[in-house]
Amino acid sequence: MDAKDILGLPKTPLSITQEKKSRPQKDSQRKPDGISREVYALTGGVAPLMPSIDVSQLKRRPPSDEKITWQWLPFTSSARKDNLELYHWVRVVNGVPPTGDYSFAKYNKSVDVIRYTDEEYEKHLTDPKWTKEETDQLFDLCEQFDLRFIIIADRLPTTRTVEELKDRYYSVSLAILVARAPSLGEVPGHPLVKEPYNVTQEIERKRALSMVLSQTKHQERKDTEVLAEAKRIAESRLAAQAAEEPDIPATLDIGPESAERAVGSGDTISPSNVQVHAAAAAPSTSVIADNSSTLASLRMLRVYLRTYALEQMVQAASSSAGLRTIKRVEQTLQDLGVNLKPKVPTKAVCAEHLELRKEILTLLNLQKQLQYKEAEGSSFRDGSYGDMPGSSKRSQRAVDQDRTFVPDSISFGVIPGDRGVKREQKRKGPGRASETPSSPAGAHKRPRKMKASDL
Amino acid sequence: MFFFCMIIVQKKMKDVEISVPIVYGNAAFWLGKKASEYQSHKWTVYVRGATNEDLSVVVKRAVFQLHSSFNNPTRIVESAPFELTESGWGEFEIAITLFFHNYVCEKPLNLYHHLKLYPEDESGPMSTKKPVVVESYDEVVFTEPSESFLARVQNHPAVTFPRLPAGFTLPPPVPQDESKRKRGDTKDHPLSQWFLNFSEADELLQLAAARQQVQTHIAKLRRQISLTDGQNQPFKSL
């Protein structure tokens, strides 16, 4: 009785009969006795509630009223020139074998290589760099190998590059086409005319391709960096220039006559001013570029709210920081008793607020830097992984980079700076984006960009 | 020489801006005994000058967009004081669009205010005498103001006038017939006793103190970093 109380089960006998009724249904779902649950599950266990595929439907085939037999019969193919007779299994329906050509004969396609007569060669196709013999050979091979120039280049006894062969082939074909065309009008539609083969371009293209293919990882990274930098500079220049343009017509409002005179002879001065401004507004660091483009876009708005402007400037200043850093900045502001959004956003207050945020970012960066250097220091002194301070991923990486200082007893016997290091780091840290240390530990003289993974 | 001066003036005008400090928000009175199910509060949403000066020198009209359950939810107010009084029971976001005079700016500006009827402290008694007031301070910034704009608003108390570049003079203002126009300032507004005070001094102090703390901390960290660098140096020369 107490047990029933605890379980919350009803005590009346009526409910017991109800239980009995519901049980048979459940029993059919339960596993059969005699084997354990896990073993039963291995065999497929209890059926799922929804039948996925109706197995009984699978084996059924439409009842066929045809009589099918398979016979070993001879066949020929129109794709062959020699009338060779081969044998294969054929599906015979009601005693009637299938008719028609060999089913794969239709795939025997080849290229229509234009062949010239000797006359035509004399008239249009002579070339100082090619003999008639060679050209004939080339065309034979082109026909034989369906314009597979790599093979053709191999087969020709003379050493010519693929581009040279292509050039000769296409220019000869084009010349013949033009010569044979009854009138000039019929020619332009032909693909040979529409897209002539450009040898120099092809050589250049292939050279560039092979250069890109053989680029080292290092080179690739450098290239993307430079491109990104160039893009940023171009964008900020564009924003600054766009801001410049409305200036000149807007200020024409100031006194019509004097403005005309100013524009008249000021023409030489103002365009250069615009250029100077644009150049000045495109500095090298990304933070200043963000700021100036924000200012430029605000100016373009003509009217805006101070709070909106502050939001934009804060975003621009934090553009290089990850989400976690931004949260930490906000936490710091709260700890300092400063409103995240100023209650009285005057020009002065907004400026101070922005400066404060930038200073906090600097503070956080310095904290990270110090942590890193301290971890470095203790790894130098201790020389073993066991004493690593805390679980900071930063310090782990610092240790990994100091491989030269670690005694051989530690398991990572990998030379620093090669790919092995990167893989090791990946295994150690859970899903951390690591970079191959390209320089010895601590020699990071350039200010590093903050990454989300750094926090 | 003249043209050269003109160019300098053109460049500097780029950095000239006119700002108008405003306060916008609402005051809501509980209707007490007179409250019905659908009209429990009487509220006024408004946009006023931060120092209660008349905004109509820049604002031509204000459009308040109310919740769709209101009749004619788009309410247009053509003169100062730019406010709207209604009664209801619900809190919702009101979009306020400010349209400016032609000489000021052709683009309108949007403000958003969440109507507040019920006090933060739900446990306290609701009073019919003391309203629930929520206000936000902001500044409307006009970039590259035209000469006519500058001329019109010079010496107006509602406007923060910029410092003009050297050698720049404005024509004298056109005298306005003040007596004929209705008073647009909110100095003696019936709700003025409830208006909040916004002083930048407190916030500036707060920010200055915070910056000081942060700067001190930064200096300390820089010292520590150079110290640690010194300690690590002998190891690196290997």
Side-chain angles (χ1 to χ4, degrees), chain A residues 4 16 25 31 65 71 82 120-121 134 142 153 186 196 203 224 234-235 259 287 309 319 333 341 412 433:
Chain A
K4 281 223 169 106
I16 295 173
Q25 284 172 346
K31 65 165 182 75
D65 34 88
Q71 294 176 19
D82 52 5
E120 284 175 321
Y121 188 89
E134 246 196 306
C142 283
E186 288 181 23
I203 296 175
T224 44
E235 274 173 6
V287 175
S319 59
L333 282 169
K341 293 198 173 177
F412 307 101

Side-chain angles (χ1 to χ4, degrees), chain B residues 129-178:
Chain B
K129 297 280 193 293
K130 187 159 182 271
V132 169
V133 176
V134 175
E135 288 187 324
S136 310
Y137 175 99
D138 213 327
E139 299 189 343
V140 182
V141 181
F142 298 98
T143 59
E144 299 173 357
S146 66
E147 198 191 317
S148 40
F149 184 14
L150 288 165
R152 184 73 183 78
V153 301
Q154 64 178 324
N155 301 326
H156 196 289
V159 171
T160 307
F161 202 75
R163 218 178 60 183
L164 296 176
F168 197 80
T169 47
L170 284 173
V174 177
Q176 298 286 313
D177 193 354
E178 299 290 342

Side-chain angles (χ1 to χ4, degrees), chain B residues 55-66:
Chain B
L55 286 178
S56 46
V57 65
V58 283
V59 178
K60 186 163 66 176
R61 85 172 81 93
V63 177
F64 297 88
Q65 186 68 34
L66 304 180

Side-chain angles (χ1 to χ4, degrees), chain A residues 302-367:
Chain A
R302 308 308 291 264
V303 61
Y304 56 83
L305 282 171
R306 187 81 68 193
T307 47
Y308 172 76
L310 180 63
E311 253 172 67
Q312 297 292 304
M313 300 291 286
V314 165
Q315 250 184 45
S318 335
S319 59
S320 58
L323 192 60
R324 264 185 74 179
T325 320
I326 296 173
K327 287 268 178 274
R328 288 185 63 183
V329 170
E330 295 184 346
Q331 184 60 49
T332 314
L333 282 169
Q334 279 182 331
D335 294 339
L336 290 164
V338 168
N339 300 315
L340 283 179
K341 293 198 173 177
K343 285 276 181 296
V344 189
T346 62
K347 190 166 181 176
V349 166
C350 288
E352 284 289 298
H353 188 98
L354 190 64
E355 288 309 304
L356 178 62
R357 275 191 186 245
K358 288 187 193 167
E359 280 166 4
I360 293 175
L361 268 174
T362 309
L363 178 71
L364 294 176
N365 280 341
L366 286 175
Q367 273 177 345

